[in-house]
Amino acid sequence: MYWTNKFDEFNKKYWDGKLTKIPVRIRDLSADRAEGLYHYPDDEDRTEPYIEIDKKLTHHQKLNILLHEMCHHAVEVFYEERPYHNHGKEWKEEMKRVGFIGRIHSGRGRYKTRNY
């Protein structure tokens, strides 16, 4: 429930509540070699999108990863761009808009240098 509330809080703050609400799950992502994952909706299987965050991260890192993955969700929602792990122009613009600074790349997400 906590991470769902954080999703809602960030959605309201950064996207004026316009993002579709999706589940946020915390689990061990060691096998996936990831700190966070945004699972795009799959039209064929009719699966809904969701976010996963590695349970081993610190609270601060989890917040950053949530925001990183929400930027993927925003690109899918607003630009209808759905390639796997897209870290393209629109995603980079979302990352900067929500407060990530410096060079934005696929591994950028654990550390955010601006306040929430």
Side-chain angles (χ1 to χ4, degrees), residues 4 7 11 13 19-20 23 27 35 44 51 72 75 89 96 99-100 108 111 116:
T4 299
F7 179 97
N11 187 11
K13 180 174 183 175
L19 287 181
T20 309
R27 74 172 180 93
E35 294 174 332
E44 292 178 19
I51 292 172
H72 284 293
V75 168
K89 179 183 174 186
K96 289 176 185 174
F100 287 91
R108 180 85 165 128
Y111 304 100
Y116 296 104

Side-chain angles (χ1 to χ4, degrees), residues 22-35:
I22 62 173
V24 178
R25 302 172 184 158
I26 307 297
R27 74 172 180 93
D28 184 353
L29 294 178
S30 299
D32 295 294
R33 298 177 59 162
E35 294 174 332

Side-chain angles (χ1 to χ4, degrees), residues 14-49:
Y14 296 110
W15 291 279
D16 295 321
K18 295 177 184 171
L19 287 181
T20 309
K21 187 171 185 170
I22 62 173
V24 178
R25 302 172 184 158
I26 307 297
R27 74 172 180 93
D28 184 353
L29 294 178
S30 299
D32 295 294
R33 298 177 59 162
E35 294 174 332
L37 296 168
Y38 171 67
H39 296 273
Y40 289 89
D42 185 343
D43 291 335
E44 292 178 19
D45 294 335
R46 296 197 169 121
T47 57
E48 298 298 320

Side-chain angles (χ1 to χ4, degrees), residues 58-106:
T58 67
H59 183 264
H60 179 72
Q61 292 167 337
K62 287 175 184 163
L63 290 171
N64 288 322
I65 293 298
L66 174 59
L67 200 50
H68 169 121
E69 301 306 335
M70 288 178 75
C71 287
H72 284 293
H73 184 44
V75 168
E76 192 269 324
V77 168
F78 299 126
Y79 298 97
E80 297 181 1
E81 190 170 315
R82 297 167 59 169
Y84 181 73
H85 279 300
N86 179 18
H87 293 102
K89 179 183 174 186
E90 291 85 2
W91 176 80
K92 288 177 183 178
E93 288 172 1
E94 284 295 315
M95 289 283 285
K96 289 176 185 174
R97 194 182 64 71
V98 302
F100 287 91
I101 63 173
R103 184 172 171 261
I104 306 295
H105 52 82
S106 64

